[in-house]
Every structure is written in C-alpha cells, then in structure tokens.
Amino acid sequence: MSSFPCTRLRRYRRTESLRQMFSEPLPPPSKFIWPIFIIEGKGKEIKIDSMPGQSRMSIDIALKRLKPVVESGIGGIMIFGVPEDKCKSPDGRHAYMKNGLVQNAVRKIKKTFPDLIVFTDVCLCSYTKHGHCGTIDSNGDVDNDATLETLAKVAVSHAEAGADAVAPSAMMDGQVLAIRDSLSENGFKNILIMSYSTKFASSFYGPFRDAADSKPMSGDRKSYQSPFSDLKQAIRESIEDEKEGADILMVKPALCYLDIISKIKERTLLPVATYNVSGEYSMLIASSERGFGDLKAMVRESTAAIHRSGADIIISYWASRYKEMFEL
Ligand code: PBG
C-alpha cells in the first residue's frame, strides 16, 4: 500500500543543496589508478586513435604528462610496456629484461614521483610474437606451467626496478602463488600483488589491444580468461587468488560486472579493485561525439555506479582527467 500523500521523496530533491546533502560523494582521486602505455625512444607521443585522449609515450613524455595528473591527487598508475617488434619472441623474454621498457619507466617515475603508487602489469601478450599471454605448447595451447616461470621473472624484475605493486593479468592458474614465492625468495616481501583475479574474456578490450599491440595473431583468449556466462567460476577465480596470496583482488571489466564486484566483496575482506577498461572508456567518448550524451555526465554516472558496487580501487583512463570529470 502506498503511503502517498504522506511520503513524498521529491522533498529530498527540491534544491541543489538538498540533493547534495543526500548524495554519496564521488570517489576521491586517491582511489584511482591511471593505466599508461610506454614506448621506446625520446620525445615520442603517439595518439591512440581508438582511445581519444590517451597516447603511447616515451618515458620523458610520460614524466611530463604525469605531473598534472599526480598533482590532481590520483593514487597510482599502472604501467604497460609496448615493445618494438624486434623485442617480441615466442616466450616473451624481453618482459623481464633488467633494462626493459617497464623497468626503466618504473625507475624514472619513482625517482620523480616517489609518493605515486606504481603498479606494473605482469603479462606477456605485448612481448610474444603470437600475442597470447604465455608460451604456446606443441598443441597450440598456452602452456600454463611454463608461463608461470616467465611471469615470476617479470614480477621480480619489476620489483627490482622499484615497483610498489605487481599486477598479474595473464589468467594462468597458479600465477599469484608462483609470483608470491619468487618475490619472497628474492627478498621482496613488501611488494603488493594486485591480481587481475576475475578477468573476463571480454569484447571490451579492443582499443587496448590497439594501444598495446597485443592482439592474438590467431584464436582468442577464451581458454584462459573467464567466461562471462559462468558466475560460479568468476567468483572462484578471485577466491583462489586470495588463497594463493593476493593482496588485492580485481574484477575486469567494470561496468558489465557490477554484480560480480558486489558478490566478491561479500566473500572477501581484501580490497577489491576494478578495471574500467578501454572499450568502456571509448564507448562513452564515441557516444558523446555522436551527440547521444554529455560526456562528463556519463563519466560521473558510470563511475558512481562502479564505486557503489563496492569497488575500493578504480583503474580508469578517466583518472588522467580527474579534475575535469569529477570536480564540480
Ligand atoms: C593484457 C591486458 C589486457 C588488458 C589489460 N591487460 C588485454 C587483454 O587481456 O587482451 C585490457 C585493458 C583494457 O581494455 O583497458 N593481458
């Protein structure tokens, strides 16, 4: 039975100040991580056509672009290396070179911005010739256990360079445990592992694969990334990573999976991050460019929804435009 005319919810909304008083605040900049793409060279900045507003940068340019973003108060960045073709191999070994792209970027960025939390993506797809996230076996499958060894080496090389946190994204079974063990054996007991624990085989990664030059040459990633159609597996992926020693869990993408973020939050006390991925970023831009919606309003509404789902940390390309998008 309705309690109208006594109950009138419009009373709360009558003025802007009333609306403000009853609003949940948008997440502060300290909750955001900005993903950046690093290339070889000096003075290079190549715009990513499928992600307007984002580019691939050499380290010197990244340092310049980071200054205002760091000043806006964002919590951290996530570094992706985009190596030249000559650095791609069947097993992705350039990903763990002492003086590789990511390792050098970490050293320089930490030196310039010591308080910025530097996360590194630990994966091989940009470093393998075939574009899969690990070594391929004789049957053409990604060889899980052989890949673990490479991933562990990559994580240790990032830790040696000074990363605060490593973020394994290859979706190999046992990758968190393998990385935790290697970090410990090498004396890195204080490095955080933010696992891409529930990472779906999603169709929203397209622009990223352009940016990172990491599209598989053949096949897809469905034999290692989680199917969007299986809720139980999606939750188990995160629970298993907690058992393996992850410090932070992650759901990726964000917007299609707000229910999964909430469900995982109910089952863990670890912080849960979510990755508002490239396709989610670019679709809002495309929509606003065609006049279907106001960009800032769409960004605010979708980010509020991500925050409300329970995400403690948001990895988002909007982080580079925090002031423009989220401050009144
Ligand atoms: C690499 C990786 C991907 C993303 C982050 N790390 C792509 C993929 O799995 O194909 C996607 C990020 C985005 O779309 O913004 N394993």
Side-chain angles (χ1 to χ4, degrees):
M1 212 176 46
S2 161
S3 43
F4 181 79
C6 277
T7 302
R8 287 178 181 269
L9 296 177
R10 289 185 60 188
R11 284 181 202 126
Y12 301 104
R13 313 173 190 150
R14 195 172 48 80
T15 67
E16 181 55 29
S17 6
L18 280 163
R19 290 193 290 274
Q20 283 289 329
M21 179 165 280
F22 302 114
S23 285
E24 286 296 326
L26 284 162
S30 56
K31 302 283 183 195
F32 282 82
I33 297 173
W34 180 33
I36 62 169
F37 301 96
I38 300 291
I39 51 176
E40 261 336 320
K42 267 213 161 95
K44 286 207 176 133
E45 181 161 31
I46 304 169
K47 290 196 163 39
I48 304 165
D49 290 340
S50 52
M51 299 176 75
Q54 305 292 322
S55 45
R56 313 198 247 193
M57 303 169 277
S58 54
I59 298 174
D60 55 329
I61 300 286
L63 292 172
K64 273 196 204 148
R65 298 287 172 260
L66 268 167
K67 193 167 181 288
V69 180
V70 172
E71 282 166 3
S72 78
I74 66 154
I77 56 166
M78 169 94 91
I79 302 181
F80 291 93
V82 189
E84 293 170 330
D85 267 353
K86 63 172 196 285
C87 296
K88 296 189 188 234
S89 60
D91 64 357
R93 56 187 55 227
H94 274 82
Y96 58 80
M97 277 192 352
K98 260 196 171 3
N99 282 315
L101 265 179
V102 174
Q103 293 79 357
N104 287 340
V106 170
R107 274 189 285 268
K108 296 218 172 108
I109 292 170
K110 277 308 284 187
K111 203 167 161 207
T112 316
F113 307 106
D115 297 329
L116 181 70
I117 309 169
V118 171
F119 295 78
T120 55
D121 183 80
V122 175
C123 195
L124 302 169
C125 51
S126 297
Y127 289 86
T128 53
K129 275 201 161 32
H130 44 73
H132 279 287
C133 302
T135 311
I136 306 279
D137 67 15
S138 51
N139 301 321
D141 286 337
V142 175
D143 183 338
N144 194 89
D145 298 11
T147 301
L148 294 183
E149 287 175 33
T150 318
L151 292 172
K153 287 184 192 161
V154 176
V156 169
S157 75
H158 292 174
E160 276 168 351
D164 298 289
V166 293
S169 70
M171 286 299 279
M172 294 300 120
D173 288 322
Q175 63 183 12
V176 172
L177 183 61
I179 289 173
R180 176 61 77 210
D181 283 350
S182 278
L183 287 174
S184 302
E185 278 162 23
N186 287 280
F188 296 109
K189 56 178 189 293
N190 286 325
I191 302 290
L192 289 157
I193 300 179
M194 175 166 76
S195 174
Y196 286 68
S197 49
T198 300
K199 175 172 174 182
F200 289 97
S202 168
S203 299
F204 287 88
Y205 304 151
F208 172 95
R209 290 179 189 171
D210 286 348
D213 191 21
S214 66
K215 216 200 313 277
M217 296 237 282
S218 65
D220 52 41
R221 304 208 202 287
K222 287 185 182 157
S223 79
Y224 40 104
Q225 298 181 344
S226 209
F228 63 78
S229 47
D230 188 337
L231 170 68
K232 286 189 188 126
Q233 259 190 65
I235 296 193
R236 285 183 69 192
E237 279 289 358
S238 279
I239 291 176
E240 289 302 317
D241 282 10
E242 173 163 3
K243 290 189 215 152
E244 286 182 27
D247 301 292
I248 306 168
L249 302 177
M250 191 201 300
V251 175
K252 173 185 171 196
L255 287 172
C256 294
Y257 301 101
L258 301 180
D259 57 330
I260 311 281
I261 299 172
S262 303
K263 291 202 164 88
I264 290 173
K265 281 285 285 189
E266 285 164 12
R267 288 170 172 79
T268 185
L269 291 173
L270 296 189
V272 176
T274 188
Y275 197 141
N276 189 203
V277 299
S278 59
E280 298 176 318
Y281 171 84
S282 297
M283 81 184 167
L284 296 193
I285 295 181
S287 170
S288 79
E289 280 175 357
R290 294 189 64 186
F292 299 157
D294 176 70
L295 183 62
K296 187 169 160 180
M298 291 190 289
V299 171
R300 292 167 73 87
E301 187 174 338
S302 54
T303 305
I306 292 171
H307 187 49
R308 195 173 57 237
S309 72
D312 300 287
I313 299 170
I314 305 175
I315 303 150
S316 168
Y317 302 98
W318 302 117
S320 65
R321 299 162 74 175
Y322 187 88
K323 274 183 172 316
E324 174 195 349
M325 294 297 164
F326 299 112
E327 285 181 1
L328 281 176

